[in-house]
Amino acid sequence: MPLDPSEVQARLEEEIQTYRDVENVHDLPEIFHLWSNRYVLPKLWDCGFLTLDDFYLHYLAEACHGSPGRATIVSVGSGNGDLEVGLAKRLLERGVRNFHFRCLELNPAMNARGQKAAERAGVAEFCSFEEVNLEDWRPDRRASVCLANHSLHHLVGLEALFEKIHGALEEDGVFLINDMIGRNGHMRWPEASLHVEKIWAEMPRRYKYNHQLARWDDDFVNWDCSSSGHEGIRAQDILPLLMETFHFDCFIAFANVIDVFVDRSYGHNFDPQDPNDLAFIERIARLDETLLDKGEVKPTHLFAAARTKPVDKLRCFSHWTPEHCLRVPGGEGS
């Protein structure tokens, strides 16, 4: 059911307050990085990229080398600008200088942090930070690259935004995405919840402390993060809308059941130095990979490069194409 305008505005203001003083929006448990190095990085390697930064830099450098002038890189929902500042530094280290990041972010506190970070890093002349509500954004120039780094799942007007990005991109431009594509509010769909609940019933209580909500969850709670603010407000619509609007050049999707155990709420309960904790996470990770490979559950995360025109060949991990990873509505909980 669509939100009425007053509720959208109230949630938007709540989002601004939530992130006003948050300097590290990607603060994840150690166990997450251990798992991702083992199960996510190889998917990037399979597509020809050493790291996620390498993925970004490949397309950014390609756009700059193909541009007769300065390549405009529009980052929609840039937050504190950490990614953009880091990428600007890496491009300069590679000898690439004909680029400019336009960082579009509604939160003024985050824009200010981004500007300071750019100044400290010596890349201020290559970055600008603009206070923009993406729901109202009207592109005023063409872009070689559009970038969305964990911003899309905070937005309501995805259809309009994707059409604006499609129209703003140059003919050979690219839309780079790193986002969450699971159920709205980052909940589990019923087919994934069955596996999580079974694991929950058998696992030690010390793994059940919820660090985000500061409570013990003796029973698994399929928490809806979109109940306040805009967290995951339309996450489940991102992939189908991307497929309707763009053509994927590269598509790397991953994770579902494992999310619950390595993310911020419960991931801090696992000690990477404890063999028992590692064995527990490894067992769930292997189960998750099997379920995803069979298509019994669908990925909740996505790295992608999309074009406005069809591409000759899609780069993806194994047979995990967009079609394989798309959850078709239907059945209980849909």
Side-chain angles (χ1 to χ4, degrees):
M1 181 180 298
L3 300 175
D4 64 62
S6 61
E7 184 174 356
V8 170
Q9 184 59 35
R11 286 170 176 257
L12 201 57
E13 290 172 1
E14 185 175 355
E15 281 269 299
I16 292 172
Q17 290 304 312
T18 296
Y19 288 98
R20 184 185 63 182
D21 299 317
V22 179
E23 295 191 17
N24 185 357
V25 296
H26 304 298
D27 185 21
L28 290 161
E30 288 183 50
I31 200 70
F32 174 92
H33 300 293
L34 187 148
W35 160 77
S36 65
N37 285 339
R38 183 156 187 176
Y39 287 95
V40 181
L41 267 184
K43 294 177 174 60
L44 282 161
W45 299 341
D46 194 64
C47 292
F49 306 107
L50 293 176
T51 64
L52 181 56
D53 269 6
D54 188 41
F55 164 80
Y56 286 131
L57 290 165
H58 167 82
Y59 287 101
L60 293 174
E62 179 184 74
C64 293
H65 291 148
S67 176
R70 186 170 63 170
T72 297
I73 304 162
V74 176
S75 180
V76 292
S78 53
N80 291 323
D82 312 80
L83 176 68
E84 296 76 7
V85 168
L87 291 173
K89 288 179 63 178
R90 294 286 301 279
L91 285 170
L92 292 174
E93 289 168 1
R94 292 186 175 196
V96 179
R97 299 185 62 85
N98 64 321
F99 67 90
H100 184 81
F101 280 94
R102 290 187 66 193
C103 300
L104 311 183
E105 169 58 50
L106 177 61
N107 195 314
M110 299 185 103
N111 274 328
R113 285 195 288 270
Q115 183 65 52
K116 289 181 180 178
E119 291 168 0
R120 287 194 302 268
V123 298
E125 65 180 290
F126 297 93
C127 304
S128 59
F129 298 84
E130 306 172 36
E131 188 174 327
V132 175
N133 183 340
L134 293 173
E135 308 285 358
D136 302 326
W137 173 53
R138 297 292 180 270
D140 58 359
R141 71 195 79 168
R142 303 301 292 275
S144 300
V145 181
C146 279
L147 170 64
N149 181 49
H150 279 279
S151 57
L152 300 178
H153 69 262
H154 292 272
L155 301 173
V156 174
L158 292 172
E159 293 89 346
L161 178 65
F162 289 172
E163 287 299 332
K164 286 184 281 190
I165 290 173
H166 190 284
L169 283 172
E170 294 170 354
E171 186 174 355
D172 57 350
V174 62
F175 182 21
L176 302 179
I177 303 124
N178 174 7
D179 224 306
M180 303 186 73
I181 56 170
R183 191 177 182 183
N184 288 350
H186 308 320
M187 298 174 69
R188 299 305 104 182
W189 290 105
E191 60 272 18
S193 286
L194 288 174
H195 292 281
V196 176
E197 289 166 3
K198 182 178 179 181
I199 296 166
W200 211 265
E202 299 170 351
M203 74 182 191
R205 190 172 190 261
R206 66 188 179 90
Y207 294 159
K208 299 180 181 181
Y209 185 72
N210 189 322
H211 290 259
Q212 287 188 295
L213 300 179
R215 70 186 190 194
W216 291 96
D217 289 335
D218 289 315
D219 296 312
F220 172 63
V221 179
N222 200 10
W223 181 254
D224 182 356
C225 298
S226 67
S227 57
S228 64
H230 273 193
E231 184 63 41
I233 190 73
R234 291 192 64 195
Q236 69 197 46
D237 298 319
I238 292 172
L239 178 55
L241 289 174
L242 285 172
M243 292 173 68
E244 287 179 16
T245 314
F246 297 94
H247 303 272
F248 288 109
D249 185 280
C250 181
F251 181 92
I252 304 169
F254 55 95
N256 186 315
V257 173
I258 191 67
D259 273 349
V260 175
F261 303 93
V262 299
D263 210 345
R264 294 174 182 83
S265 289
Y266 306 104
H268 294 287
N269 296 323
F270 299 93
D271 180 0
Q273 306 304 317
D274 186 322
N276 293 322
D277 289 3
L278 289 179
F280 180 87
I281 292 297
E282 178 69 13
R283 178 169 64 87
I284 299 172
R286 288 180 179 176
L287 169 66
D288 199 37
E289 292 288 304
T290 299
L291 294 171
L292 289 163
D293 197 63
K294 292 179 178 179
E296 294 180 17
V297 301
K298 300 298 183 176
T300 56
H301 296 258
L302 176 66
F303 304 147
R307 307 279 189 182
T308 59
K309 295 184 176 181
V311 300
D312 292 333
K313 184 179 180 181
L314 168 69
R315 281 201 264 192
C316 68
F317 169 71
S318 187
H319 59 279
W320 297 16
T321 63
E323 292 75 18
H324 175 79
C325 294
L326 180 67
R327 185 182 190 274
V328 179
E332 183 184 358
S334 294

